[in-house]
Amino acid sequence: MQIILDNLLLTNYLNHKDLKNIFTNERHPFQIRRYSRNEVVLAEGEEIDGLYMQVSGRTKITTSVITGKALLLRFCSAISIMGDIELVQKVPIQSQVTAAEETDFIFLHKTYIYSQLMKDTAFLQQLLVHTTYKLQTCTTASRINLLASVETRFASYLCTVSNGVSFGKEIHTTNSAEIASLIGTTTRHLNRVIEKLTSEKIIKKNKQEIIVIEWEKIEDISDGLRYE
């Protein structure tokens, strides 16, 4: 991790409309933290040291399961807030955050958050918006993954990432193993579904992408379910 001392870059980041909604006063002790590709930003189970606001790049959010493997939850880009749940609930870091590419965060130490910003109504309202968004998307994904067949989940995934919604962008990937993790199945099972849909000429799979040929059939298979 690098600490970037660049006031012009900081000002440019803070001019983002989402951050302007969060901070009515720009005279906070902000710090730019830069992480390299594959560097861990937040380690699951450790104590949180402050609030992280992702302002560039792409990060991967995972959580560990009983088998010891990591379950992929989503990808994040600007503007994403991390550490909000941990700071409010005063619990250890709930999910692992890893930089998928070089990524910048604006950071505020928790001491300042507790002493100053927890009294700021505008800040708390925006924090609530971001936190409830996470709750909504996680609840929806869990419900679909528990109740629907893998074929329906995969079709729902394809429909979600194609319609441009925020969460669709957060779960978009061309990696079959990552898609399998996102929809709660194994890579082997997902590949069987892909082979079936390919043989039925509903989709076509190239090395780097899945192309939908029959969107109407994919929408029928999805049964109206969406990860959103």
Side-chain angles (χ1 to χ4, degrees), residues 47-128:
E47 184 179 351
I48 193 74
D49 58 346
L51 191 69
Y52 290 73
M53 290 147 287
Q54 185 175 338
V55 289
S56 74
R58 182 173 166 90
T59 52
K60 179 187 291 189
I61 315 299
T62 59
T63 187
S64 58
V65 292
I66 294 175
T67 59
K69 295 182 179 180
L71 178 67
L72 177 61
L73 300 177
R74 69 181 76 202
F75 294 95
C76 288
S77 55
I79 297 292
S80 298
I81 296 179
M82 300 166 191
D84 47 348
I85 294 173
E86 290 83 356
L87 288 170
V88 172
Q89 293 295 325
K90 297 183 178 180
V91 294
I93 295 168
Q94 299 297 290
S95 302
Q96 184 112 333
V97 180
T98 307
E101 61 188 43
E102 184 176 271
T103 303
D104 284 357
F105 289 85
I106 289 179
F107 171 81
L108 279 172
H109 197 275
K110 64 180 180 181
T111 301
Y112 185 80
I113 297 288
Y114 287 135
S115 65
Q116 301 296 324
L117 288 177
M118 286 301 184
K119 304 171 186 176
D120 186 328
T121 303
F123 170 78
L124 291 175
Q125 286 178 335
Q126 290 302 312
L127 207 63
L128 181 62

Side-chain angles (χ1 to χ4, degrees), residues 14-177:
L14 292 174
N15 279 332
H16 192 287
K17 61 181 179 65
D18 287 348
L19 289 181
K20 282 187 172 182
N21 289 335
I22 298 173
F23 302 108
T24 55
N25 180 358
E26 294 184 3
R27 296 180 179 177
H28 301 299
F30 295 114
Q31 184 182 80
I32 299 176
R33 293 188 172 187
R34 178 168 295 167
Y35 293 83
S36 303
R37 185 175 182 270
N38 294 327
E39 186 174 2
V40 173
V41 180
L42 297 175
E44 185 176 359
E46 292 189 358
E47 184 179 351
I48 193 74
D49 58 346
L51 191 69
Y52 290 73
M53 290 147 287
Q54 185 175 338
V55 289
S56 74
R58 182 173 166 90
T59 52
K60 179 187 291 189
I61 315 299
T62 59
T63 187
S64 58
V65 292
I66 294 175
T67 59
K69 295 182 179 180
L71 178 67
L72 177 61
L73 300 177
R74 69 181 76 202
F75 294 95
C76 288
S77 55
I79 297 292
S80 298
I81 296 179
M82 300 166 191
D84 47 348
I85 294 173
E86 290 83 356
L87 288 170
V88 172
Q89 293 295 325
K90 297 183 178 180
V91 294
I93 295 168
Q94 299 297 290
S95 302
Q96 184 112 333
V97 180
T98 307
E101 61 188 43
E102 184 176 271
T103 303
D104 284 357
F105 289 85
I106 289 179
F107 171 81
L108 279 172
H109 197 275
K110 64 180 180 181
T111 301
Y112 185 80
I113 297 288
Y114 287 135
S115 65
Q116 301 296 324
L117 288 177
M118 286 301 184
K119 304 171 186 176
D120 186 328
T121 303
F123 170 78
L124 291 175
Q125 286 178 335
Q126 290 302 312
L127 207 63
L128 181 62
V129 169
H130 284 267
T131 305
T132 52
Y133 168 76
K134 293 177 188 177
L135 174 62
Q136 175 194 352
T137 51
C138 285
T139 300
T140 300
S142 297
R143 182 173 64 247
I144 294 174
N145 289 350
L146 282 171
L147 300 178
S149 69
V150 174
E151 186 172 286
T152 298
R153 285 180 241 164
F154 180 55
S156 176
Y157 171 85
L158 292 175
C159 290
T160 302
V161 298
S162 71
N163 65 11
V165 297
S166 295
F167 193 55
K169 296 175 184 176
E170 293 181 16
I171 60 175
H172 182 266
T173 177
T174 58
N175 184 293
S176 295

